[in-house]
Amino acid sequence: MANSQRYLIQATAVIGFFLIWKFYVEFFEVSRLVLPPPEQVFVALFELFATGEIWRHLYITLLECLGGFAFACIFGVTAGMLLGRNQMLDTVFKPFVIALQVTPKVALIPLFILWFGFGLESKIIVSAVLAFFPVFANTYLGARSVDHGLLELFEVGKASRSRRFAKLILPSSLPYILTGMEMAIVLSIIGAVVAEFVAGSSGLGYLATIKLQELQVSSLFAVVIVLALIGFVLYFLVGSLRKVLIPWHESSRPTTI
Amino acid sequence: MRAKPSLVSSAAQNAAEAKPPLLTVNKVGRIFGSAESGVTALDGIDMAIGKGEFVAIVGPSGCGKSTLLRLLADLDAPTSGAITWTSGQAGQSSVAFQEHRLLPWSSVLDNIMLPATMRRRPNEKDRNRALELASLVGLEAFTKSRPAELSGGMRQRASVARALFPEPDLLLLDEPFGALDALTREKITGDTEEIWLKQRFTALLITHSIAEAVHLADRVFVMSPRPGRVTHVVGIELERPRAPLVGSDQYNALVNDIRAKLQDPDHG
Ligand SMILES: Nc1ncnc2c1ncn2[C@@H]1O[C@H](COP(=O)(O)OP(=O)(O)OP(=O)(O)O)[C@@H](O)[C@H]1O
Ligand SMILES: [Mg+2]
C-alpha cells in the first residue's frame, strides 16, 4: 500500500471516530457530565494551553516520568546484565526481583510517600519502580541469549571481561534492552500519573483530579488527551532509537514477507 | 602479503618435523553424555604437530573433526588422554570455525580486526592489516558491509581473514572454504599456502576436499567414522608452492591414495 493511501485511510478513520462520538452524544442525549461532545473537549484543550495553566503541570509530569524512566533504565540494565551473566548473583537475587514484580506496586505508593515525602522524589520513585521490571527482564533475556558460538570466539581470542562485555554482550543485548525501554516508557508515565492522583500537588494527574472535583468533564478529557499525546511522543522517541542504535538488527528492517 | 614463490625442498620439511613438536595429542578420547550410553566422538587419537607444520584432517561427516578442533582450541576438555604443549602452557590459537561466527553488528573490516579489538583499542596498523587481509580474500570492495549483506562464501572468506589476523601459535581452520566455488577455492587455497610459506605458523586444516588437503598439508590425517580414530597418516612431500602441481600425476596419485584410505579405513 502506498504511503499516501495509508495516511488517507488513517485520517478517515480518525474523523469517523469523532463523528460517531458526536452523533452518539447528540442522538442519545448523553449528559455532558458523562461524555461531553468532541468540540467541547477541543475547546477545553485549547483553553488549557491558552490560559497557560497546563504548562507547569506538563513540565512536572514530564520531569517525573523521564526521571523515573532514566532510573529504571540504569538499574534495569545493570541488574539484568549482572543477573543474566552471573550465576551466583542470579541465584541469590532472582527471588527478590520476582517478589518485586509480583507485588502490586501501586499498593506501595503510600509507603513511598511516607518514605520520600509529597514532592517530586516519591513520584519519580514510583515511576521508576513501575518501569524497572520490563527493562530488567528484557536485559536479562538479552544477556542470556548471547550466541554461544560468539562467546567461544571471544574465549579463544582471550578477550578481557570488560572487552567481552563492551564488544559482544552489550551490542548483542541491545535489541532486547530497547524492547524493555519501549515498554518502560509507557509504564513510567502511568507511574508518575498514579502517584500524582494519590498525593500530588502538581502534575497532570493532579490536574485531572482537580478537574474532576470541579466537575469540568471537558477539561478532564483534555488532560487525558494531553497525557495520551505525551505517551505517543515519548514512545515514538524511544522506538526510533532502534534505527539509530541497532540498524543491523532484523527488527530495523521493513517487514515485507 | 603476497610472498614471492620460493621452492622449499622436502628435505627441509623433514628437518622441520624432526624438531620437538608444538603440541602432542596423547590417546585423546571424547565421549558426549554418560560413559555407558554416550556418543563416542573421539577414541584414542594420537598426533604430534610440529612447530611450523601444516597438517590436515580428512574424514566423513560426524567423525569428530570439529570435536578435536575444539579440544585443541581449549574450548572443551578430553574425557580421556591429554593434549600437552611442549612449551608447558597452552599457546594462543586462532580459529576459523565451521560456521562463520561474524558479529552481525560490525562491518567486515571490524570483524576482521576483531582479534585486536578483543584486547585493546585497534590502531592504524591493525586497520591496515585488516584491509590487506580483506583484499587477500577478495573482499576489498565490501569492507564497510555488514555480514548480512554478504553471500555465504563471502562470509566464510571474512571469517578466514579474521582467523589469519593474529599471528597465533596454532591456526585452526574448520572447513574454511566449504561454501566457495571450485575456482575461488583453488585461488584462496593457493593464497593461504603463500601466507603460510611466508609466516610459517603452525596450522591444522579440517576439510572435505582431499585435493585441498594435499595442496596445503605436510601431513594428512585420515579419520574413520564414529568412533573417530586416526586410521592413516599420509606425508605429502611435494615441492611448495604447490599451485602449479595441482592436477599433475604426482598430485592425483596422492589424492587417489587418500581417497582409497578414506573409503576403506581398515586397509592401507
Ligand atoms: N556438544 C555435543 N553434544 C553431544 N554430541 C556431540 C556434541 N558435539 C558433537 N557431538 C557428536 O560428536 C560427533 C562428532 O561431531 P563433530 O562435530 O566433531 O563432527 P565432524 O567430524 O566435525 O563432522 P562434519 O564434517 O559434519 O562437520 C557427532 O556424532 C556429534 O553428534
Ligand atoms: Mg565439523
Side-chain angles (χ1 to χ4, degrees), chain B residues 42-60:
Chain B
L42 293 172
D43 186 30
I45 302 286
D46 276 313
M47 58 170 68
I49 303 176
K51 202 169 164 58
E53 192 185 10
F54 203 125
V55 301
I57 298 184
V58 294

Side-chain angles (χ1 to χ4, degrees), chain A residues 241-253:
Chain A
L241 283 178
R242 263 181 204 284
K243 283 214 179 60
V244 182
L245 293 177
I246 50 165
W248 53 272
H249 193 251
E250 293 293 340
S251 64
S252 301
R253 248 190 240 202

Side-chain angles (χ1 to χ4, degrees), chain B residues 151-182:
Chain B
S151 76
M154 288 158 89
R155 282 177 215 154
Q156 233 181 0
R157 284 184 268 156
S159 159
V160 172
R162 178 180 63 193
L164 291 171
F165 184 93
E167 286 170 7
D169 299 315
L170 178 62
L171 178 69
L172 299 165
L173 304 168
D174 196 346
E175 282 264 9
F177 314 129
L180 301 183
D181 63 282

Side-chain angles (χ1 to χ4, degrees), chain B residues 105-135:
Chain B
W105 50 85
S106 292
S107 66
V108 166
L109 197 71
D110 288 340
N111 264 296
I112 293 177
M113 60 183 175
L114 184 65
T117 321
M118 273 184 200
R119 290 146 168 257
R120 60 193 151 81
R121 184 183 289 279
N123 54 32
E124 205 45 42
K125 243 180 89 193
D126 296 322
R127 286 191 77 77
N128 290 334
R129 181 163 170 73
L131 279 168
E132 260 180 85
L133 285 164
S135 61

Side-chain angles (χ1 to χ4, degrees), chain A residues 5-18:
Chain A
Q5 212 179 343
R6 200 160 51 208
Y7 292 144
L8 194 68
I9 294 174
Q10 283 168 347
T12 316
V14 172
I15 292 170
F17 170 75
F18 285 118

